Amino acid sequence: MDSPPVLADRLGRPLANLRISVTDRCNLRCAYCMPEEEYAWLPQPSLLRFEELAQLARVFAGLGVQRLRLTGGEPLMRRDLGVLVRMLAEVPGIDDLALTTNGILLEAQAEALAKAGLKRVTVSLDTLRPERFRELARRDGLEQVLAGIDRARAVGFDPLKLDMVVLRGTNDDEIETLLDYARSIGAELRYIEYMDVGGATRWTKEAVVSRREILARLEKSRGKVEPLVESTSAPADRYRLADGTVFGVISSTTQPFCGSCDRARLTADGRWFLCLYAREGLDLGKALRAGASSSELAALIRTRWSGRDDQGAVARLAEHERAALAAIDELRRDPHLEMHTRGG
Ligand code: SAM
């Protein structure tokens, strides 16, 4: 298939990546993402059916999107996800189809997902200590996550990535332990700075462990850290230790990479956000259900992306009194502001 003409935003950034949140439900309650006792959920009938999601994916692919990532909430909680994977794997122009999961349900589903055409898996893993897992995620499950990781490797997901959100005073004493674990199983660890996104209502800047600090710490314990020179729009900057271990750091909080951001996010009910920090999204789900054709949807997307000048993380960096993005009552009124709705 010929590549579609590049659709660029006002800063010249192409639309190349789409993250699709397939559900806002999650089976964990991680302190940095879902710390509250109660949540307002998206109404069930508003969730797009697989055919609807696939139609939108085809429209996006026609505008230049090449990479899709399924997320949530916890994407493996969406029933029959393999059916959607199969549909998306067949969309012309999509050359990368990935999944971000907490791994709880991965053991049972990894094989079917691989067969359906899923190419890559990233598992969130913040600790290797069962007690700490329970405290941080407010649910049990470390054993299941590790079994899920094993299964994902066994069915051939390679490279397998592990994402660790580093929180000062909570799990920052596991920076090395997780790196060793990742290396031991042939996975690549990525450290994620704690972000003040919607839903992170307990965020404080004191709890952020910056990229600079992570690297300094590894230099001290593991010796020279060499940056890999790569020209990609991937959010992680990658590094290599003298023993060959490669890892990544996603420094959205202290050193944002908005200038090369080619990602947008679609919620399970079809709201399209141009930035993780955006307050408003374009309601493609509503347009689709009102009967908009694929070319009408494409026109809406094209207009919106052409006007995009969002640099949410850079704007957050400039905030003097930096605190959580949205207050609890605001999140209750509009769950689209939540990270677990928008997809990480
Ligand atoms: N449930 C899946 C999972 O756990 O991977 C997918 C959704 S989750 C919202 C996606 C990613 O967002 C996870 O890697 C999670 O650690 C990350 N995340 C959530 N809240 C965050 C925050 N406040 N700062 C940094 N990363 C965050």
Side-chain angles (χ1 to χ4, degrees):
M1 191 183 100
D2 288 344
S3 308
V6 172
L7 171 62
D9 71 6
R10 283 170 62 185
L11 303 177
R13 300 169 295 186
L15 171 58
N17 266 290
L18 182 69
R19 300 191 173 194
I20 304 178
S21 169
V22 293
T23 176
D24 57 336
R25 307 290 165 134
C26 193
N27 41 8
L28 297 180
R29 290 289 180 273
C30 300
Y32 51 77
C33 188
M34 301 185 74
E36 308 305 329
E37 291 305 323
E38 283 181 26
Y39 282 95
W41 305 105
L42 298 178
Q44 206 65 23
S46 74
L47 302 192
L48 297 186
R49 296 187 312 273
F50 289 166
E51 291 72 18
E52 294 172 317
L53 288 172
Q55 184 184 346
L56 288 177
R58 282 192 292 275
V59 173
F60 277 104
L63 292 168
V65 166
Q66 295 152 353
R67 294 195 290 279
L68 297 178
R69 176 173 291 275
L70 302 179
T71 179
E74 173 44 43
L76 299 186
M77 290 181 77
R78 178 87 189 237
R79 193 175 308 155
D80 297 327
L81 189 68
V83 174
L84 177 64
V85 166
R86 196 170 291 282
M87 292 165 98
L88 297 178
E90 283 167 5
V91 173
I94 297 301
D95 54 30
D96 188 22
L97 182 55
L99 170 84
T100 300
T101 173
N102 61 30
I104 295 275
L105 302 171
L106 190 56
E107 186 181 18
Q109 298 189 30
E111 187 172 0
L113 292 172
K115 283 194 178 137
L118 187 69
K119 295 210 171 110
R120 296 190 300 123
V121 172
T122 299
V123 181
S124 300
L125 180 67
D126 304 315
T127 177
L128 287 169
R129 301 187 192 175
E131 295 266 301
R132 183 173 282 173
F133 186 99
R134 189 176 312 126
E135 263 165 46
L136 184 59
R138 290 192 289 153
R139 302 282 189 275
D140 273 320
L142 179 61
E143 230 175 276
Q144 284 144 274
V145 177
L146 298 180
I149 290 172
D150 281 350
R151 191 80 196 115
R153 287 172 55 231
V155 303
F157 286 114
D158 183 29
L160 185 69
K161 290 191 180 142
L162 303 179
D163 280 0
M164 171 192 192
V165 180
V166 187
L167 306 165
R168 191 181 313 285
T170 300
N171 65 349
D172 54 338
D173 54 350
E174 289 188 80
I175 284 178
E176 283 93 352
T177 326
L178 269 148
L179 189 63
D180 293 340
Y181 167 71
R183 187 188 42 208
S184 74
I185 62 165
E188 186 169 315
L189 181 67
R190 304 190 310 173
Y191 300 105
I192 307 184
E193 288 182 353
Y194 186 14
M195 295 170 70
D196 53 347
V197 285
T201 45
R202 312 280 152 93
W203 188 90
T204 61
K205 62 175 184 296
E206 290 72 28
V208 176
V209 181
S210 68
R211 158 165 53 182
R212 184 194 290 240
E213 225 180 313
I214 293 168
L215 296 181
R217 169 118 168 230
L218 288 171
E219 286 244 318
K220 205 164 163 202
S221 62
R222 297 293 156 98
K224 196 167 173 328
V225 175
E226 179 201 345
L228 299 186
V229 182
E230 295 171 310
S231 59
T232 71
S233 67
D237 288 320
R238 295 166 80 228
Y239 300 86
R240 187 187 291 118
L241 295 177
D243 68 2
T245 309
V246 172
F247 63 92
V249 185
I250 303 182
S251 58
S252 325
T253 304
T254 67
Q255 295 178 57
F257 37 86
C258 301
S260 61
C261 179
D262 58 7
R263 275 172 291 285
R265 292 173 162 83
L266 189 68
T267 60
D269 63 350
R271 203 75 69 91
W272 185 48
F273 289 94
L274 307 191
C275 175
L276 197 46
Y277 288 96
R279 297 255 167 203
E280 304 287 333
L282 178 63
D283 201 342
L284 293 174
K286 190 168 162 198
L288 180 70
R289 288 189 173 174
S293 65
S294 290
S295 56
E296 285 163 341
L297 292 166
L300 288 173
I301 295 167
R302 207 179 284 117
T303 305
R304 193 52 82 95
W305 189 266
S306 311
R308 178 191 192 234
D309 61 1
D310 300 62
Q311 296 197 70
V314 167
R316 297 296 293 168
L317 198 56
E319 296 247 332
H320 218 55
E321 299 291 324
R322 199 168 173 179
L325 179 75
I328 297 170
D329 53 344
E330 212 181 341
L331 294 166
R332 295 238 164 87
R333 274 198 308 276
D334 185 5
H336 289 98
L337 287 166
E338 298 269 10
M339 180 77 152
H340 67 263
T341 306
R342 214 161 263 206

